[in-house]
Amino acid sequence: MDVADLGLPVDVPSTALFTDQYELTMLQAALKAGTAERRSVFEVFTRRLPEGRRYGVVAGTGRVLDAIENFRFDADVIAFLRERAVVDEATLAWLAAYRFSGDVWGYPEGEVYFPGSPIMRVEGTFAECVLLETVILSVLNHDSAIAAAASRMSSAARGRPLIEMGARRTHELAAVASARAAYVGGFSSTSDLAAGFRYNIPTVGTSAHAFTLLHDRERDAFQAQVASLGRGTTLLVDTYDVAEAVRTAVEIAGPELGAVRIDSGDLLLMAHRVRHQLDELGAGDTKIIVTSDLDEYAIASLAASPVDAYGVGTQLVTGSGHPTCSMVYKLVARAGSTDPKAPLLPVAKKSGGGKTSIGGRKWAARRLDAYGVAEAEVVGTGAVPPELLDRRLLVDLVKGGEVVAREPLDAARDRHRAALAGLPLSAAQLSRGEPVLPTEYVHGRSGS
């Protein structure tokens, strides 16, 4: 069963409490002030990429759509809010009937983004939009950070398969989201069965050191695994002596042995030695998989080695040093009254410390050079220049409260591959640098 398109919650009936309390207290105050129903536009963007990163990756969009659909204040949630006196009875009554009825546009999942890119735009009344801030940021900040790390690792792997193995290094629900984001970013499989069940991601796994240590001899462990899983299995060869383990593995499984895994030591040196030994033993088709705290730099250092696949855990699920994208959700335009036809007025926070933002309802497009390679991220308000009409990046995600853009996860994965191919070659460099595309702003009327 493929559940990727069903919009199911992870393990809760409602996402309504995946929020900060001030979202609800703002709602209460706006309801009393008579401003809650003013038409409003919120945008998600980041002011900067993590230090040294050249592009960001949009991931988690599908999970955001699930969260919006399941954002419901059921009886138990209302009872909790009443018991804690979070908001008054009038606000509780409003929340009990809450259903998002607005529109959402956004960069499609798998697309790349840059500082200032309006990654997601949420429109509706102030009341219905403001409530979604925390859950949208929670999903996008986490998943996009993992996808960006995965993308860099995938580039470093140069086409070799990557296995997501981080479930034991993060929260159990974050592990599922991480596997999903890693798949968008270029990983080919996961060890996490919950991710396989929910998102139809290919799953892999054979044995750990504990299985070898369980047996009296390493040979006994290998024999048991091959008898159970077949000659095409992957045998872990670094529990004791690697060379002896490789010899034993080939004796038991023969040249049909699927792969050996190395999880410690000097991986570059060991990969060359093991490849040479496997070839001498007639197991030329047996693959070599390496694990052990890999990140994009370690993967890149193994580019010239005879490694066939990589397993990555801790560094992936922590964003390889950048576990968040610092995305924000800001009100950029609002009507001057509750009249649905009232024009939108651009609004923006004015402050120092790098926290300024630009008001107005924005569009985004990617300009190409004469060779068809992206040369700038263009963000603007008002009319889109004719030459950029077919390069616009935002797509419809929700219309009138109904999700209109749910898609299989493979579509996002393919989109990311295509997006990277359209960037300058320097995007794949792991050395520190500025964003590979500049962001250019085109100012016009905010629109209505």
Side-chain angles (χ1 to χ4, degrees), residues 157-182:
R158 299 183 181 180
R160 296 170 180 172
L162 291 156
I163 308 164
E164 186 281 314
M165 303 172 65
R168 291 167 292 168
R169 296 294 187 263
T170 189
H171 185 279
E172 65 271 19
L173 296 184
V176 180
S178 295
R180 183 187 184 282

Side-chain angles (χ1 to χ4, degrees), residues 163-167 189-193 202-205:
I163 308 164
E164 186 281 314
M165 303 172 65
S189 58
T190 179
S191 66
D192 191 277
L193 289 175
T203 58
V204 296

Side-chain angles (χ1 to χ4, degrees), residues 33 41 66 100 187 192 204 206 230 247 252 257-258 283 407 431:
V41 180
D66 292 348
F100 180 72
F187 275 56
D192 191 277
V204 296
T206 52
R247 186 176 301 109
I252 293 169
L257 175 62
E407 62 183 4
S431 57

Side-chain angles (χ1 to χ4, degrees), residues 47-317:
R47 296 182 177 94
R48 63 192 66 83
L49 297 179
E51 184 181 358
R53 296 287 173 89
R54 295 173 182 264
Y55 62 90
V57 181
V58 178
T61 307
R63 295 208 308 121
V64 167
L65 299 180
D66 292 348
I68 292 173
E69 283 190 332
N70 291 286
F71 205 89
R72 303 284 188 268
F73 292 84
D74 57 30
D76 290 340
V77 172
I78 293 296
F80 166 77
L81 296 174
R82 179 178 290 115
E83 177 187 345
R84 296 292 182 93
V86 174
V87 289
D88 61 21
E89 286 298 324
T91 305
L92 290 176
W94 191 95
L95 292 172
Y98 177 83
R99 299 290 187 274
F100 180 72
S101 63
D103 301 328
V104 180
W105 289 265
Y107 280 39
E109 191 157 19
E111 184 58 85
V112 296
Y113 70 88
F114 300 91
S117 297
I119 296 162
M120 187 168 286
R121 190 175 73 222
V122 182
E123 299 191 16
T125 67
F126 175 85
E128 64 180 339
C129 295
V130 75
L131 293 179
L132 299 175
E133 174 182 6
T134 303
V135 70
I136 287 177
L137 289 179
S138 178
V139 172
L140 292 181
N141 267 314
H142 174 270
D143 289 24
S144 297
I146 306 305
S151 179
R152 285 163 59 84
M153 293 174 188
S154 181
S155 293
R158 299 183 181 180
R160 296 170 180 172
L162 291 156
I163 308 164
E164 186 281 314
M165 303 172 65
R168 291 167 292 168
R169 296 294 187 263
T170 189
H171 185 279
E172 65 271 19
L173 296 184
V176 180
S178 295
R180 183 187 184 282
Y183 190 69
V184 171
F187 275 56
S188 58
S189 58
T190 179
S191 66
D192 191 277
L193 289 175
F197 171 75
R198 175 159 169 72
Y199 297 115
N200 203 29
I201 301 170
T203 58
V204 296
T206 52
S207 68
H209 294 101
F211 184 75
T212 301
L213 297 170
L214 168 68
H215 294 79
D216 295 333
R217 300 182 304 166
E218 189 171 52
R219 175 178 294 273
D220 297 336
F222 287 177
Q223 287 176 332
Q225 184 173 327
V226 170
S228 174
L229 301 178
R231 296 176 184 272
T233 191
T234 299
L235 295 174
L236 182 58
V237 296
D238 73 324
T239 306
Y240 302 118
D241 179 84
V242 173
E244 182 60 30
V246 170
R247 186 176 301 109
T248 301
V250 176
E251 285 179 8
I252 293 169
E256 297 86 6
L257 175 62
V260 296
R261 178 163 73 95
I262 308 169
D263 188 52
S264 59
D266 185 331
L267 297 179
L268 180 61
L269 175 64
M270 294 307 303
H272 281 284
R273 287 180 176 176
V274 169
R275 181 73 271 159
H276 179 72
Q277 186 180 10
L278 286 170
D279 292 344
E280 282 194 330
L281 294 170
D285 293 331
T286 299
K287 307 297 184 185
I288 297 174
I289 301 171
V290 297
T291 52
S292 185
D293 292 327
L294 298 176
D295 61 10
E296 60 265 49
Y297 302 104
I299 292 169
S301 73
L302 293 168
S305 72
V307 170
D308 297 289
Y310 307 90
V312 189
T314 302
Q315 292 300 318
L316 175 66
V317 299

Side-chain angles (χ1 to χ4, degrees), residues 44-48 107 114-119 362 379 439 441:
V44 176
F45 62 93
T46 185
R47 296 182 177 94
R48 63 192 66 83
Y107 280 39
F114 300 91
S117 297
I119 296 162
K362 300 177 195 68
V379 176
T439 303
Y441 291 97

